[in-house]
Amino acid sequence: MNPGYGLAEATLTVTRQPRLHPAVPIEVDTESLALGRLLPPREGQPSRKLVGCGRAWPGARAVIADVSTALALPDGR
């Protein structure tokens, strides 16, 4: 399995896990995630596993942007 994210405008691939590199899930705090923050789980609190969709294609830059301002968000948002 090779997780990835594509758009019709990109004609297939925007991000992709390098070939033969397994996807690595991360565990995050469920409550923080619901508030738009990516934080490690807190002891005794619900958590959730997420799997990334790989790296940006060589020569491309992927940005996570705020839907209302269209501005790039900092890491962890």
Side-chain angles (χ1 to χ4, degrees):
M1 184 155 136
N2 188 356
Y5 174 70
L7 296 168
E9 297 84 356
T11 318
L12 186 60
T13 301
V14 173
T15 67
R16 186 184 211 170
Q17 191 70 3
R19 187 166 187 252
L20 303 178
H21 287 77
V24 179
I26 62 168
E27 197 161 350
V28 299
D29 180 71
T30 303
E31 185 178 329
S32 298
L33 186 61
L35 298 172
R37 304 229 181 247
L38 192 64
L39 297 174
R42 295 173 290 158
E43 190 172 329
Q45 297 298 313
S47 64
R48 181 176 186 171
K49 286 188 180 180
L50 301 177
V51 177
C53 55
R55 300 177 186 153
W57 196 252
R61 182 172 165 244
V63 175
I64 306 299
D66 183 296
V67 69
S68 60
T69 65
L71 296 174
L73 291 171
D75 289 347
R77 289 286 311 272

